[in-house]
Amino acid sequence: MHGLIDFAVRCVKRRRINVATKQTEKPRDCDKTVIAMREELARRIAAYAPSPGENPTAIAGMSLYRRTEPTACYRASYEPSLTVFVQGRKRVNLGGHIYMCDRSSFLLSSIDVPAESQIVEASELVPLLSMFLQLDMPMVREIIGREELPELETSVHSRGIAVGETTVGLFDACIRLVDLLETPEDIPFLGHLIQREIVYRILRTPQGERLRAIATTGDLSHRTARAIAWLRANFAKPLHMEELATVARMGVSTLHHQFRALTAMSPLQYQKQLRLQTARQRMLMDGLDATSAAYEVGYESVSQFSREYSRFFGQPPIRDIKALRESKVVPINAA
């Protein structure tokens, strides 16, 4: 009897050791898989993104990026999108909240929001490589409505952008999406299916809860996103908070709180940034002078426009546009 008991104890101990070994080996094996798949995606992006900067693709909403040198801080506008990084490092500043993106992470933006960006690690030998994909919000809402997709706890304090760790499943789907560039005839059918899988993979991550909230009709985040969309379409008009609150179907104070929680700024600050960035784009791309650009985006005083432009971009409009045309990125500080 004692012999049987000893044998049973030894078996239990051996089983515990085997389980513990599997539990410690599994993450190690998973890490190896992630590394291999990341390197595979990096090779594909490098092949289809030969030029520095943005490289558009035949897949609607997808661009591949190559950056070959660090940059100073620059203003950027983020739309609902996913960016998967496979090399290099990038820093994003949203209202004083810093998000570091490296080769093991993805950047998820669930709303339209202006922020600061900076390439902090990139070179000719090891360029920053990333895959950018616009998010189809109707598709997101349709996937969320499926009963088999489990719900996650939401946080009312989450920002509109988030950084997460790229999973094996997400890497696999991204690789297959880029592979479609080899067979353009398959893009109309398979491209949509793979993008649905990518959205599903994101929604299964902790960062996906913010995207879920934005896309869920009736949620405060969804209502706030409606106000953001309205403000983007009407930024040149005078801002009346009561009108914006009506669009969002919530009280003025609630909208202020939710708006700042998502964007790290007030509606007035958001409008100002939209105006200044649009004016900058019009002067740079369309050749407008500062006065015309100021009036076009809603300013009634050119001197006020110049003051706010200088604070926001670091120098007056004429000098800033000249530096941009000479491809000199100007360091800036947060307004």
Side-chain angles (χ1 to χ4, degrees):
M1 176 66 78
H2 288 292
L4 290 175
I5 293 176
D6 291 339
F7 176 76
V9 170
R10 288 196 301 271
C11 287
V12 170
K13 288 182 177 179
R14 187 178 300 114
R15 183 180 180 186
R16 287 176 179 172
I17 292 173
N18 289 338
V19 170
T21 302
K22 290 180 180 179
Q23 289 176 342
T24 56
E25 288 180 351
K26 187 175 181 180
R28 190 179 300 118
D29 293 340
C30 183
D31 288 344
K32 292 180 180 178
T33 304
V34 167
I35 292 172
M37 298 188 79
R38 181 173 63 225
E39 292 175 348
E40 191 67 28
L41 181 57
R43 284 192 289 270
R44 283 163 167 76
I45 294 176
Y48 287 103
S51 304
E54 180 183 7
N55 292 261
T57 71
I59 299 174
M62 187 179 85
S63 294
L64 305 177
Y65 283 84
R66 174 191 290 265
R67 305 291 187 182
T68 56
E69 60 183 4
T71 67
C73 290
Y74 57 92
R75 303 289 182 181
S77 183
Y78 289 88
E79 59 188 312
S81 59
L82 170 71
T83 304
V84 177
F85 296 86
V86 292
Q87 280 186 188
R89 294 177 68 216
K90 184 176 184 178
R91 175 181 176 273
V92 177
N93 182 349
L94 176 61
H97 296 263
I98 306 300
Y99 303 86
M100 293 301 301
C101 310
D102 59 25
R103 62 183 183 177
S104 64
S105 62
F106 64 82
L107 176 68
L108 174 66
S109 175
S110 55
I111 58 172
D112 293 285
V113 61
E116 286 183 11
S117 291
Q118 182 181 19
I119 307 299
V120 296
E121 186 178 302
S123 66
E124 288 284 354
L125 184 61
V126 185
L128 182 145
L129 298 174
S130 62
M131 186 192 95
F132 171 86
L133 183 66
Q134 289 179 334
L135 294 179
D136 182 352
M137 295 307 287
M139 177 194 294
V140 174
R141 284 190 283 271
E142 191 274 327
I143 295 174
I144 290 173
R146 299 181 67 88
E147 295 181 359
E148 60 267 30
L149 188 66
E151 292 189 8
L152 302 175
E153 294 184 1
T154 59
S155 170
V156 296
H157 301 294
S158 297
R159 301 293 177 191
I161 64 175
V163 173
E165 186 174 350
T166 314
T167 62
V168 171
L170 182 56
F171 269 133
D172 179 61
C174 290
I175 290 172
R176 284 185 279 113
L177 186 63
V178 177
D179 277 346
L180 287 182
L181 298 176
E182 286 280 353
T183 54
E185 66 275 12
D186 294 334
I187 292 176
F189 183 79
L190 295 180
H192 184 74
L193 296 177
I194 299 175
Q195 289 185 51
R196 285 177 59 87
E197 179 183 346
I198 289 175
V199 170
Y200 168 79
R201 299 289 183 186
I202 290 296
L203 290 171
R204 294 299 302 271
T205 68
Q207 292 72 32
E209 57 87 15
R210 174 50 55 200
L211 182 61
R212 182 195 294 265
I214 295 291
T216 301
T217 303
D219 189 279
L220 287 179
S221 296
H222 176 77
R223 296 181 187 181
T224 308
R226 289 181 57 185
I228 292 172
W230 186 92
L231 193 53
R232 287 192 67 86
N234 299 276
F235 64 85
K237 299 179 180 179
L239 176 60
H240 301 291
M241 282 303 302
E242 293 77 11
E243 182 180 8
L244 193 62
T246 300
V247 171
R249 298 179 182 176
M250 64 177 74
V252 172
S253 60
T254 302
L255 175 59
H256 259 291
H257 175 76
Q258 292 295 324
F259 201 103
R260 189 174 290 275
L262 275 179
T263 67
M265 65 189 77
S266 69
L268 185 60
Q269 291 170 323
Y270 188 94
Q271 180 197 46
K272 182 186 295 185
Q273 293 200 23
L274 284 178
R275 285 180 169 184
L276 292 173
Q277 289 188 347
T278 303
R280 190 191 208 196
Q281 189 75 5
R282 293 285 280 137
M283 288 186 289
L284 180 64
M285 305 301 296
D286 302 321
L288 261 65
D289 59 85
T291 300
S292 300
Y295 287 136
E296 183 176 288
V297 300
Y299 277 89
E300 297 180 356
S301 168
V302 177
S303 60
Q304 180 186 1
F305 168 74
S306 297
R307 287 195 304 271
E308 293 184 354
Y309 191 102
S310 298
R311 284 198 297 267
F312 193 67
F313 291 115
Q315 57 184 348
I318 295 177
R319 283 168 48 193
D320 178 58
I321 297 303
K322 181 180 179 181
L324 288 172
R325 286 174 177 160
E326 294 174 353
S327 300
K328 297 176 181 178
V329 179
V330 181
I332 57 174
N333 296 315

